[in-house]
Amino acid sequence: MNISRCLSLFVTLFIFTSSLPAQVFESKTFENGMVVSADKYASEIGNEILKQGGNAVDAAVAVQFALAVTLPRAGNIGGGGFMVIHLANGETAALDFREKAPTKATRDMYLRNGEFKSELSWEGILAVGVPGTVDGMIKALERYGKMPLDMVIQPAIKLAREGYVLSYSHAESLNDHRDTFRKYQASARYFTTGDTTLFSEGDLFVQKDLAGTLERIARFGREGFYAGPVADAIINEMERYKGLISYKDLYNYESKWRDLVEVDFRDYKLHIMPPPSSGSIAIAQILKMIQDYPIKEMGHNSAEYVHLLSEAMRRAFADRSFYLGDPDFVDIPLQRLLSQEYNTERMASFSPDKATASSSLSHGEIAGHPESDETTHFSIVDNEGNAVAVTTTLNGSFGSHVSVSGAGFLLNNEMDDFSAQPGEPNTYGLIGAEANAIEPGKRMLSSMSPAIVTKNGKVDMVIGAAGGPRIITATLQSFLNRALFDMRAQQATTFPRFHHQWLPDTIFIDDFGLSPDTQKLLEEKGHFIFPMPGIGRAHNIYIETDGSLSSGVDPRGDGYAAGH
Ligand code: GLY
């Protein structure tokens, strides 16, 4: 594989999707409820729902719909995601509202004259998977919410109809994508100024068509999205640009309750979103690989610590690439992947002195497709102790860039998360695995890893992140920083992170995240180090021993904690 090609792709993806200035945050502490999300409006809406007597699931649904208005690059109704729930009574649940491949999708749909055209799975109508968010939110609310749907959607409708004030980073992100929006009629109308001027911080951003769609959902439930005028509008877009999604695909879409992956580590139990999220398996494997080493004694982010964790990450990501896909389509050897015996065996080749070459590991010839940074995570705890972790996405920043005319929302480009051409190198020189090959109705593999951590049966952390594959390693470090090093909430979220994903054979570090002498020690072991402007963006809540809630808002983004 061409490593410089891959590294430049990483950096391009990052710069393209993240122009957020680093900020310094103080942790906030509240007693009765808290919402931490990527956006101030959305966090405040969630907190209001909690104050009005809604529970954490009511607030989560309100936040998801609010983000569809105020964070159009990742918040969505045209995408999908995962929700992890831990109720105060100990009941847990995992909801998969990931997009699905349309029925007409084929394994080779991105090949032209035998050549993989990666741009087709990344931008435009063929990149779109059948959206899952609306069905997911309604299903979550029906099973666990206390409030009616129209009540939790109202704040989002108001924001869409009356407008909200663009922040600097929101204005910039819209401006950065204006050339691509201009290629698609409805997106040009909704997401550019319509002339040569740019959006500015302080502009009022009104989305009347989106308000209409949200009103239909509030009134008719899932029928308001997957049937009727909104479905007609989606199908019109498919016809306009020759897309694959049919009425039947929309109407038949169903989100799915799944069994959580649970993993014990020291005094903690992690409850993590199972496949088609790859994060649970990878995090569980990494924890099992490192647990017998004197991790704490190595010291946080010492060369020894970074080396050990990177070697475990390398091995877990190699397995991810080969074994993981939609569990409804592929037989994932879960028991073995999660067994201590298997993971101890995986570390048999670990040397404390020397990096293992990725090419020397099994499945070393196979790699996953690089994933976008642009996803968003939020964490919620209510006054009864119910907790919800949600990660949601359009995949790339603003997804496919195709908007639904008359309905006011963007469609995802989630098809890019499939291995578009199994067994053959793609445009990036990478090779994907069969388990994640495109099939009609299949869900594409994800890195989104919403997780709730309990200690003695009580919720201790609600964690998760945005950042493509870095979601997995950022979430892991949000946990370890607290569990091993007793960091305070904001420290645990802020401290420099690192990431290894097997291929490219590189440790990515937060810019200025490791001292030069630590880097030198790692290089002497044979590691290649590559600094980047941020390893994931985490939005965490940590529960203190007195029961109060402390926020961990990632300074790598412009998130916000609201509580009471
Ligand atoms: N689209 C990013 C992910 O699902 O991991």
Side-chain angles (χ1 to χ4, degrees), residues 98 320 371-372 375 393 395 414 417 445-448 468 471:
R98 183 77 163 156
R320 173 200 193 273
E371 290 163 30
S372 137
T375 291
T393 190
N395 192 20
E414 216 67 63
D417 272 351
L445 188 63
S446 172
S447 295
M448 295 187 288
I471 291 172

Side-chain angles (χ1 to χ4, degrees), residues 134 138 212-213 216-231:
V134 174
I138 291 168
T213 299
R216 290 201 73 80
I217 297 168
R219 215 164 140 207
F220 301 111
R222 58 159 282 138
E223 300 276 318
F225 183 85
Y226 295 100
V230 176

